[in-house]
Amino acid sequence: QVQLVESGGGLVQAGGSLRLSCAASGRTFSTYAMGWFRQVPGKEREFVAAIDWKSTYYANSVKGRFTISRNNAKNTVYLQMNSLKPEDTAVYYCAARRGPPGSLPEGYNYWGQGTQVTVSS
């Protein structure tokens, strides 16, 4: 069982930056692939980025602006978001899964409660 808690969301102007954190419980954090997703009301949950023990993966919409990283000693995964745009506004969720990372929400077993990111124009 893994529990995930996101933090770091907030209100930022377009062009600004935010860093999201996701703290995980448990002693096997390093064995999980981790992902970030986002969702706006009325739309499906959307893949943002994922990381396993050696590789990172990004949605085209955030490639070059967002960076996912992890610190296994701290059981934490991060999402550094730069050059933010109003269309990045969403609730951002952290997720964990066994096996290789994927871009489909259904493949993830554990989810955090989400953190709101709002980008003003």
Side-chain angles (χ1 to χ4, degrees):
Q1 191 79 348
V2 176
Q3 292 184 323
L4 304 172
V5 179
E6 302 97 335
S7 61
L11 173 63
V12 64
Q13 289 189 331
S17 299
L18 281 175
R19 188 176 83 154
L20 305 183
S21 299
C22 173
S25 65
R27 295 176 291 178
T28 59
F29 173 76
S30 63
T31 66
Y32 286 86
M34 302 297 296
W36 284 99
F37 291 78
R38 64 188 181 187
Q39 190 170 23
V40 298
K43 291 192 176 182
E44 294 185 350
R45 197 162 292 190
E46 175 190 29
F47 171 73
V48 174
I51 186 169
D52 58 17
W53 57 93
K54 58 178 172 60
S55 300
T56 57
Y57 309 86
Y58 297 95
N60 288 335
S61 58
V62 306
K63 201 171 293 184
R65 299 188 299 123
F66 290 11
T67 302
I68 188 171
S69 61
R70 65 191 300 163
N71 184 328
N72 290 334
K74 294 185 176 181
N75 277 18
T76 302
V77 63
Y78 304 97
L79 185 68
Q80 177 67 44
M81 305 185 295
N82 298 329
S83 302
L84 282 161
K85 305 175 181 180
E87 51 264 42
D88 294 318
T89 295
V91 177
Y92 283 71
Y93 296 91
C94 172
R97 60 171 286 172
R98 294 283 194 185
S103 62
L104 296 178
E106 305 87 83
Y108 288 79
N109 307 104
Y110 305 101
W111 292 86
Q113 82 288 351
T115 185
Q116 177 70 47
V117 171
T118 303
V119 185
S120 63
S121 57

